[in-house]
Amino acid sequence: MSYQHPTGKARLYKQGGSAKWYMDYYDQFGKRRQVSTRTIDFDKAKEMLDEQMLVLKLVRENRFDLAPRSLITVEKAAQETIKRLEKRQAKGLKDNKRFLLKIVEKFGKTDIKKLKRTDLEEVYDNEMSETMVRNYNRAFKLLFNRCIDLGYIDVKPELPEPRIAEKHKRRALTPEQIKALHQRFLVKSETSKNATGKVNFILLSLFIKLLHLTGLRYGELQHIRFQDVKPQKIGGVDAYILQITKSKTVMRDVIISEDAYRTIQFVKIQKNIRALDTDHVFSREPGVFPDFTNILKEDRNRYKDRYKANNVDDITLYQLRHTFITEKIKEGKTLFLIAQHCGTSVQMIEDYYADAIANTDVNHIFSSDQFQSALHLKGLMSGTDQEEPDDDDYDDDEED
């Protein structure tokens, strides 16, 4: 019993002693194939033969490729993307790499060719800040563009609509909270039995203090050098000038308080005592900087009750910058000068600090009208045409 396919190049038949149907056809290489359909149902067997003949037709017309394709996972594609970004030293490398690795955490073993819009909803269905949405969008765009360049995919999946969370109002810290955080790591530096831990903790305790005293970003403060800090007289007034040489927005000179200057000198004394690198203020050794965010996070996770008792269980290092800005606004300092000092925009301050904004208008963050005039003559804190951050630097050092 048999059935001849309309093309005349294939048939269905039954072998002696078997109730199942078999296909008999020639593959794309001209080799004869006799394959069981594993069914006794003629209609199903006929449908399978029709499908097989259609595939062979498309292959012969170069409209379909049956060649085996090695699996390219999202993880492999992301690593290729990161390698390319590192080679180019592309702008925003740190954030792009961080979010590409987040994508790997969710989809690492998935075939990149099978990653669809519906899969991406796993990310975009969660409420996220606008900053986080931008970072994910950029990371997916870099990933898919690189995959197209390498021939891993032909078309980029469309990104789903994000769920934008309401802007989170971050709290300014109280003096008690700042003191508790500073003291926590000062004490740990004295009690730790690990030499590296001792150094990390003393540096973090002073880093916390300076974040609050200067209002700088994490990355800006982390990379300052002792030679970047200089006492100087301006218009007969003692001042302390800090040169910011690494910034996400603009390199600039800022005035810091005497307390901040003395803290930096204290760091130098501590590093001399321990025979540590005295080039960068917060390096453990030349070119090696402790990950203060992770040190704080690990200590907080390990001693949750202690942190909760001191009301610092949900604090991030960014809040120290936030506290500085809030305090200066409440003191009545001009938004323009606060923005210049902090390397951000007046618009950002108005957007995120509306509750703290006062109408009193005085001239400089740390000193008098006379000093302010001298600053303008000296040309410090200039740069009104500086690049503004992407929407805000509010989330810059936010912990995940």
Side-chain angles (χ1 to χ4, degrees), residues 306-325:
R306 186 191 298 264
Y307 274 78
K308 194 164 187 176
N310 286 283
N311 194 27
V312 291
D313 51 308
D314 61 349
I315 283 175
T316 66
L317 292 177
Y318 180 83
Q319 280 177 273
L320 294 157
R321 171 177 165 89
H322 178 84
T323 302
F324 173 89
I325 295 174

Side-chain angles (χ1 to χ4, degrees), residues 289-354:
F289 300 90
D291 184 347
F292 293 132
T293 297
N294 197 48
I295 293 169
L296 171 60
K297 189 182 292 187
E298 287 184 356
D299 192 59
R300 185 176 56 209
N301 290 340
R302 187 174 181 182
Y303 300 100
K304 290 179 181 178
D305 291 343
R306 186 191 298 264
Y307 274 78
K308 194 164 187 176
N310 286 283
N311 194 27
V312 291
D313 51 308
D314 61 349
I315 283 175
T316 66
L317 292 177
Y318 180 83
Q319 280 177 273
L320 294 157
R321 171 177 165 89
H322 178 84
T323 302
F324 173 89
I325 295 174
T326 302
E327 288 174 352
K328 295 308 164 188
I329 291 171
K330 288 183 175 180
E331 289 169 16
K333 312 310 183 189
T334 60
L335 302 189
F336 172 74
L337 287 167
I338 295 173
Q340 284 195 319
H341 177 92
C342 294
T344 188
S345 66
V346 172
Q347 182 64 52
M348 189 284 294
I349 294 175
E350 289 177 338
D351 285 349
Y352 289 97
Y353 297 85

Side-chain angles (χ1 to χ4, degrees), residues 16-71:
S18 174
K20 295 178 181 178
W21 289 97
Y22 286 77
M23 295 189 291
D24 183 8
Y25 63 91
Y26 289 88
D27 65 17
Q28 68 269 32
F29 305 109
K31 186 175 181 179
R32 188 178 184 185
R33 300 286 183 182
Q34 292 176 301
V35 183
S36 172
T37 64
R38 298 182 181 181
T39 180
I40 61 174
D41 188 311
F42 172 74
D43 291 332
K44 287 183 179 179
K46 180 176 177 295
E47 184 178 344
M48 291 174 66
L49 181 62
D50 288 340
E51 288 177 355
Q52 183 64 52
M53 297 307 292
L54 175 60
V55 169
L56 290 173
K57 180 177 183 293
L58 294 173
V59 168
R60 292 187 184 102
E61 294 173 354
N62 292 320
R63 294 163 60 190
F64 190 75
D65 187 5
L66 286 179
R69 183 180 67 87
S70 58
L71 174 69

Side-chain angles (χ1 to χ4, degrees), residues 7-142:
T7 61
K9 298 178 181 179
R11 68 186 182 107
L12 291 173
Y13 69 96
K14 286 187 177 181
Q15 290 185 349
S18 174
K20 295 178 181 178
W21 289 97
Y22 286 77
M23 295 189 291
D24 183 8
Y25 63 91
Y26 289 88
D27 65 17
Q28 68 269 32
F29 305 109
K31 186 175 181 179
R32 188 178 184 185
R33 300 286 183 182
Q34 292 176 301
V35 183
S36 172
T37 64
R38 298 182 181 181
T39 180
I40 61 174
D41 188 311
F42 172 74
D43 291 332
K44 287 183 179 179
K46 180 176 177 295
E47 184 178 344
M48 291 174 66
L49 181 62
D50 288 340
E51 288 177 355
Q52 183 64 52
M53 297 307 292
L54 175 60
V55 169
L56 290 173
K57 180 177 183 293
L58 294 173
V59 168
R60 292 187 184 102
E61 294 173 354
N62 292 320
R63 294 163 60 190
F64 190 75
D65 187 5
L66 286 179
R69 183 180 67 87
S70 58
L71 174 69
I72 304 296
T73 63
V74 171
E75 182 176 14
K76 176 177 171 57
Q79 292 297 343
E80 292 284 352
T81 307
I82 290 170
K83 194 185 302 181
R84 173 66 174 163
L85 293 174
E86 289 176 336
K87 184 177 179 181
R88 293 177 56 210
Q89 287 296 301
K91 182 180 177 182
L93 174 61
K94 181 181 174 183
D95 282 340
N96 290 332
K97 184 175 178 179
R98 184 158 65 98
F99 277 82
L100 282 164
L101 292 176
K102 284 178 179 287
I103 292 170
V104 170
E105 285 178 17
K106 290 185 178 294
F107 307 111
K109 301 305 178 185
T110 304
D111 183 345
I112 188 66
K113 202 156 191 174
K114 295 182 179 179
L115 191 63
K116 306 299 181 187
R117 184 178 187 278
T118 51
D119 299 318
L120 304 186
E121 289 173 356
E122 183 179 335
V123 171
Y124 286 88
D125 279 352
N126 297 310
E127 281 195 351
M128 296 185 285
S129 68
E130 291 179 2
T131 302
M132 187 167 276
V133 169
R134 277 198 308 276
N135 282 327
Y136 266 119
N137 286 350
R138 189 182 299 117
F140 276 120
K141 181 180 177 181
L142 289 167

